[in-house]
Amino acid sequence: GYSRAIALDSKEFLKAVKNTVWSTTILRLHLDGENNGTEYNVMIKDHQVDPVLGQLLHADFYEISMDKLVSVKVPIILKGEAQGLESGGVLVHILSELEIECLPSIIPHQIEADISNLEVGQLLHVADLKLNPQIKILNNPEEPIVSIGHPSVIKTPPVDILTSPDDQTPEE
């Protein structure tokens, strides 16, 4: 493919993608003045928003074909409350997005990972996820998503709160 610069109305664009996951959203881009207003199926590859003004500074799109596989990164959302947390375990979220390959029409906006059965010392791996069989996971199946760690205990020497160093008598 080839690249070209286009100008967008920043406010209209941000309104169109509000409440979406930018990396998984398919947009119909209509270019005026080109072959009677050609439309393209595109995804957002990269973007930059002014942190102070909230205005779009830059966006990179790439054209997709609806009948060809695409690779995208999809956020992983943890569902449920791990049983191990009730016994003092500590949740460690290791992997926050999953790289997948599928047709554009079946790209999920997020992937849910049920952690409700995890106990202290257990991990949820990529292989444990249940996805549409038409979606290929590109991550290593043994890669951990979340773990329930053992609580850490910091041992400190006991402190006698009834006496202070000034109250002690010197030893002879």
Side-chain angles (χ1 to χ4, degrees):
Y2 62 95
S3 64
R4 63 184 128 177
I6 58 172
L8 294 172
D9 181 318
S10 175
K11 288 180 185 173
E12 287 297 314
F13 174 76
L14 291 174
K15 188 165 59 170
V17 297
K18 185 178 181 181
N19 299 325
T20 65
V21 177
W22 288 35
S23 64
T24 63
T25 301
I26 300 168
L27 302 170
R28 301 272 303 152
L29 187 62
H30 178 86
L31 297 181
D32 293 331
E34 182 179 299
N35 300 332
N36 295 323
T38 304
E39 284 193 357
Y40 299 93
N41 290 314
V42 298
M43 294 183 76
I44 301 167
K45 187 175 187 175
D46 191 23
H47 69 284
Q48 188 177 11
V49 176
D50 184 297
V52 176
L53 302 175
Q55 295 176 337
L56 180 72
L57 298 175
H58 172 81
D60 287 335
F61 300 97
Y62 62 99
E63 184 178 6
I64 59 167
S65 174
M66 296 303 285
D67 60 353
K68 290 197 174 23
L69 299 174
V70 293
S71 296
V72 293
K73 291 184 179 180
V74 180
I76 298 172
I77 306 299
L78 304 181
K79 290 292 180 183
E81 173 126 354
Q83 292 177 2
L85 297 180
E86 293 174 14
S87 57
V90 178
L91 183 131
V92 181
H93 194 168
I94 302 163
L95 184 67
S96 60
E97 59 186 15
L98 193 67
E99 190 167 359
I100 62 168
E101 182 180 72
C102 63
L103 290 174
S105 61
I106 62 170
I107 297 171
H109 289 289
Q110 64 187 28
I111 293 171
E112 294 182 358
D114 183 9
I115 62 168
S116 55
N117 292 325
L118 290 181
E119 295 285 351
V120 173
Q122 291 185 318
L123 297 160
L124 181 74
H125 295 94
V126 168
D128 299 323
L129 296 173
K130 307 289 185 252
L131 298 181
N132 178 328
Q134 296 174 314
I135 296 174
K136 179 182 178 184
I137 298 174
L138 301 177
N139 295 68
N140 179 336
E142 295 305 313
E143 190 171 0
I145 296 170
V146 64
S147 72
I148 306 300
H150 295 278
S152 57
V153 178
I154 300 171
K155 293 187 178 185
T156 58
V159 176
D160 186 356
I161 58 171
L162 298 176
T163 61
S164 72
D166 296 337
D167 295 337
Q168 295 177 357
T169 57
E171 293 182 24
E172 295 183 27

